């Protein structure tokens, strides 16, 4: 069973990085297939925190090949900063491969991202200001500049000049800002080209060869299902296909190559940026979750909006991604609450919607319907076996499984690599086919 995926099931920041890191001890290749440095994936190893934005979360394992696939939009400046900071920590990036087909984020994309948000005022999306939307727009317009253009700076220059003619006109005439200097950009990107040239390759063949050879390849999603450009809460979404479907185009494989899709689900819900969030808790509960869960953006430092777990979203995410199992994260954050609420439906104009409504206004205006479950007081961060969790915590997990009809394979109870409960050997039997689980945790 060589091809597997880790996908965010909510609005991002579910803990994908820590789950990818955990699995990487048994994986040959980790592939990012969409998004850019809007992502912030945190891995905590031996008390040291690593915040990864572009480089796959398998990088902390020396033998793992880490691929930035064609579907990613890459800011070379951010990549180089990330390479430098990993190097400073003694982490080698020798196994990094970058797709020559990936598009690049250019300085004018960042200017336009900020300016567009400013212009929207109160209606802003709340983007990360990393230039993601403008970079994907140019890809679709067919005026984008790809990583491979760094390998022929003559082509790069021509494309840059063409692209800047249009983009500078927008920057000046629409947004009233100073135009950008093509020579300055050319000089900067010439330096980046020298630094990253050794990592650039045809990753499509690399990935398919690995799969053909029976190697274990893990596709690391960024953002989450509800931020997907097609399936999320448009326009309050990111500009890429964050769902499992994005793997095929973003890495260059067919759907039958993906054998197991793990949905990462936070035990409650968070969202950064604007847009509907039916179970949002403004006040005491929201503040409690934010402080206890340290819910501040990994990329932007913004406080995350917090609320209860939403089963309507979770069921929708299972459908959109065909999730096989769930990795439930941050269960420890709920400890100490008086009770836990779980949203089972949305009430709107006297009608209850138990499945995702077809019209987004309902998501904006509905009242969530809740079921209440008992909580627990004990600190669970040291628990290693499911049976050792307080029975209320076990009931919470069973409630989720009963509702969604797929198994919870992992439960994380702390940010550190080893603070994980591998449940019922689901993971081993399904993913690794050998029934041994002891080798996973390092
Ligand atoms: P990602 O973008 O999905 O990789 O998630 P982030 O890294 O942005 O956010 C998840 C945050 O929760 C990070 O700070 C993690 O270190 C932390 N984290 C992950 N799993 C757990 C857990 O089980 N318990 C606690 N308390 N923190 C966790
Ligand atoms: P990870 O991979 C949470 C959100 C932004 C904004 C919207 C659009 O760490 O889970 P963009 O800059 O992409 O144009 O912003 O998407 N967003 C994320 N929220 N986690 C992320 O990544 C996100 N990446 C983008 O806050 O609402
Ligand atoms: Mg994150």
């Amino acid at each position: 069973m060589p091809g597997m995926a880790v996908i965010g099931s909510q609005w991002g920041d579910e803990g994908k990085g820590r789950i990818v890191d955990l699995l990487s001890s048994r994986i040959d290749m980790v592939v990012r297939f969409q998004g850019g440095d809007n992502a912030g994936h945190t891995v905590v190893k031996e008390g040291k925190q690593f915040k990864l934005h572009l480089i796959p979360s398998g990088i902390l394992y020396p033998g793992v090949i880490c691929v930035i696939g064609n579907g990613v939009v890459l800011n070379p400046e951010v990549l180089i900063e990330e390479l430098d900071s990993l190097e400073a920590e003694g982490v080698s990036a020798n196994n990094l491969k970058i797709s020559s087909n990936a598009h690049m984020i250019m300085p004018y994309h960042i200017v336009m991202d900020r300016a567009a948000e400013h212009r929207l005022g109160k209606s802003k999306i709340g983007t990360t200001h990393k230039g993601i939307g403008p970079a994907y727009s140019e890809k679709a317009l067919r005026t984008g500049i790809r990583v491979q253009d760094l390998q022929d700076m003559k082509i790069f220059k021509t494309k840059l000049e063409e692209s800047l003619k249009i983009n500078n006109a927008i920057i000046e005439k629409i947004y009233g800002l100073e135009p950008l200097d093509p020579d300055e950009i050319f000089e900067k990107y010439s330096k980046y080209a020298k630094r990253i040239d050794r990592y650039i390759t045809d990753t499509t063949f690399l990935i398919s060869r690995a799969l053909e050879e029976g190697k274990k390849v893990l596709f690391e999603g960024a953002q989450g299902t509800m931020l997907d450009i097609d399936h999320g809460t448009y326009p309050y979404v990111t500009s890429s296909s964050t769902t499992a479907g994005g793997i095929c185009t973003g890495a260059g494989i067919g759907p039958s190559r993906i054998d197991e899709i793990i949905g990462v689900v936070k035990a409650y819900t968070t969202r950064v940026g604007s847009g509907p969030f039916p179970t949002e808790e403004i006040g005491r509960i929201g503040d409690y979750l934010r402080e206890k869960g340290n819910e501040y953006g990994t990329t932007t430092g913004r406080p995350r909006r917090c609320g209860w777990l939403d089963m309507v979203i979770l069921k929708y995410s299972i459908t959109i991604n065909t999730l096989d199992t769930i990795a439930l994260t941050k269960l420890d954050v709920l400890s100490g609450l008086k009770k836990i609420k779980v949203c089972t439906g949305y009430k709107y104009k006297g009608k209850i919607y138990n499945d995702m409504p077809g019209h987004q206004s309902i998501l904006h205006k509905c009242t969530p319907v809740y079921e209440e479950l008992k909580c627990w007081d004990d600190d669970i961060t040291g628990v290693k076996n499911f049976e050792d969790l307080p029975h209320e915590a076990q009931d919470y997990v069973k409630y989720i499984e009963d509702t969604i009809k797929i198994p919870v394979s992992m439960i994380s109870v702390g940010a550190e690599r080893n603070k994980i409960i591998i449940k019922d050997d689901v993971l081993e039997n399904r993913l690794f086919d050998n029934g041994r689980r002891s080798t996973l945790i390092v």
Side-chain angles (χ1 to χ4, degrees):
M1 200 169 264
M4 52 188 95
V6 166
I7 299 287
S9 305
Q10 294 151 316
W11 274 287
D13 302 325
E14 298 90 349
K16 298 173 293 291
R18 69 101 67 233
I19 297 296
V20 170
D21 169 72
L22 175 86
L23 294 169
S24 293
S25 67
R26 298 277 294 279
I27 294 287
D28 300 296
M29 183 182 274
V30 181
V31 183
R32 274 280 307 269
F33 57 90
Q34 46 70 228
D37 60 302
N38 49 351
H41 296 181
T42 317
V43 176
V44 183
K45 182 193 165 197
E46 289 154 16
K48 173 106 202 82
Q49 194 181 56
F50 295 86
K51 292 181 180 181
L52 299 158
H53 300 288
L54 273 169
I55 298 179
S57 304
I59 196 71
L60 302 187
Y61 289 89
V64 175
I65 308 282
C66 286
V67 178
I68 296 179
N70 59 278
V72 170
V73 282
L74 181 136
N75 181 338
E77 185 178 8
V78 174
L79 177 76
I80 290 165
E81 277 169 18
E82 204 160 303
L83 285 168
D84 287 344
S85 73
L86 283 173
E87 210 170 275
E89 294 296 336
V91 178
S92 159
N94 280 343
N95 283 336
L96 178 68
K97 311 282 175 196
I98 302 171
S99 167
S100 52
N101 283 345
H103 278 248
M104 280 194 288
I105 294 180
M106 305 299 291
Y108 40 91
H109 294 145
I110 295 168
V111 171
M112 289 163 80
D113 190 358
R114 276 181 190 281
E117 284 283 274
H118 183 71
R119 196 157 193 258
L120 282 169
K122 272 204 332 226
S123 313
K124 71 178 180 193
I125 294 162
T127 74
T128 57
H129 292 172
K130 300 293 179 186
I132 305 295
Y136 276 117
S137 302
E138 278 223 279
K139 175 179 177 174
L141 274 172
R142 292 150 295 173
T143 52
I145 305 182
R146 294 190 291 178
V147 166
Q148 61 183 275
D149 298 323
L150 291 177
Q151 294 180 315
D152 186 335
M153 290 309 282
K154 232 168 103 182
I155 295 180
F156 177 90
K157 196 162 201 269
T158 311
K159 289 192 177 178
L160 173 65
E161 281 166 0
E162 275 312 302
S163 177
L164 253 191
K165 267 185 214 156
I166 310 279
N167 286 310
N168 265 344
I170 299 172
I171 286 170
E172 271 190 284
K173 299 204 168 77
I174 309 282
Y175 296 125
L177 298 170
E178 285 294 305
L180 276 75
D181 176 7
D183 295 337
E184 224 173 82
I185 299 175
F186 182 79
E187 205 178 300
K188 264 191 178 177
Y189 277 66
S190 300
K191 284 191 192 131
Y192 302 153
K194 290 199 181 86
R195 175 77 194 272
I196 69 173
D197 182 66
R198 59 182 284 232
Y199 303 109
I200 303 172
T201 188
D202 181 338
T203 57
T204 307
F205 281 112
L206 194 77
I207 296 165
S208 61
R209 218 177 305 127
L211 286 164
E212 267 157 34
E213 287 168 4
K215 300 240 168 73
K216 294 185 177 70
V217 179
L218 178 64
F219 298 95
E220 175 179 2
Q223 291 82 50
T225 301
M226 299 306 288
L227 288 171
D228 185 275
I229 182 85
D230 285 275
H231 305 289
T233 46
Y234 191 90
Y236 304 103
V237 292
T238 190
S239 301
S240 67
S241 300
T242 62
T243 44
I247 299 170
C248 295
T249 49
I253 59 156
S256 60
R257 289 292 202 192
I258 312 163
D259 303 287
E260 185 83 9
I261 306 175
I262 303 167
V264 187
V265 179
K266 204 179 274 189
Y268 47 98
T269 310
T270 62
R271 168 163 211 172
V272 221
S274 324
F277 179 178
T279 63
E280 181 171 17
E281 282 286 320
I282 296 161
R284 199 174 53 80
I285 296 289
D287 294 346
Y288 179 90
L289 293 171
R290 186 175 310 106
E291 293 317 309
K292 185 140 187 238
N294 192 24
E295 295 296 354
Y296 292 89
T298 311
T299 299
T300 57
R302 288 178 292 175
R304 294 173 182 153
R305 300 158 64 192
C306 298
W308 298 113
L309 184 64
D310 185 336
M311 301 311 275
V312 180
I313 284 172
L314 189 43
K315 285 192 293 182
Y316 179 67
S317 186
I318 291 167
T319 305
I320 298 290
N321 297 294
T322 331
L323 299 181
D324 294 296
T325 68
I326 294 293
L328 188 68
T329 59
K330 305 191 89 161
L331 189 64
D332 55 299
V333 176
L334 297 180
S335 304
L337 283 168
K338 281 206 177 68
K339 60 186 176 204
I340 303 171
K341 288 202 209 173
V342 182
C343 172
T344 56
Y346 304 146
K347 193 169 177 196
Y348 179 69
K349 290 192 175 168
K351 198 176 157 196
I352 307 272
Y353 294 82
N354 295 116
D355 292 308
M356 188 60 75
H359 203 289
Q360 196 161 302
S361 296
I362 300 173
L363 225 67
H364 285 263
K365 295 179 185 161
C366 69
T367 312
V369 179
Y370 286 117
E371 243 179 73
E372 282 185 14
L373 278 82
K374 286 189 182 140
C375 197
W376 56 94
D377 267 335
D378 321 34
D379 174 2
I380 59 169
T381 55
V383 175
K384 294 265 181 269
N385 297 305
F386 183 69
E387 299 71 31
D388 297 332
L389 282 172
H391 67 88
E392 295 90 346
Q394 293 188 28
D395 288 347
Y396 187 55
V397 176
K398 283 181 199 150
Y399 175 91
I400 295 170
E401 284 182 321
D402 287 347
T403 311
I404 60 178
K405 312 269 186 295
I406 62 167
V408 171
S409 55
M410 289 170 266
I411 302 162
S412 82
V413 288
E416 270 278 347
R417 202 179 252 186
N418 62 358
K419 297 222 175 281
I420 190 100
I421 298 168
I422 310 287
K423 201 171 152 279
D424 291 333
D425 288 339
V426 175
L427 187 76
E428 282 296 332
N429 293 331
R430 295 179 70 119
L431 290 187
F432 298 107
D433 292 330
N434 64 4
R436 285 181 298 119
R437 73 188 204 187
S438 55
T439 45
L440 182 66
I441 299 161
V442 285

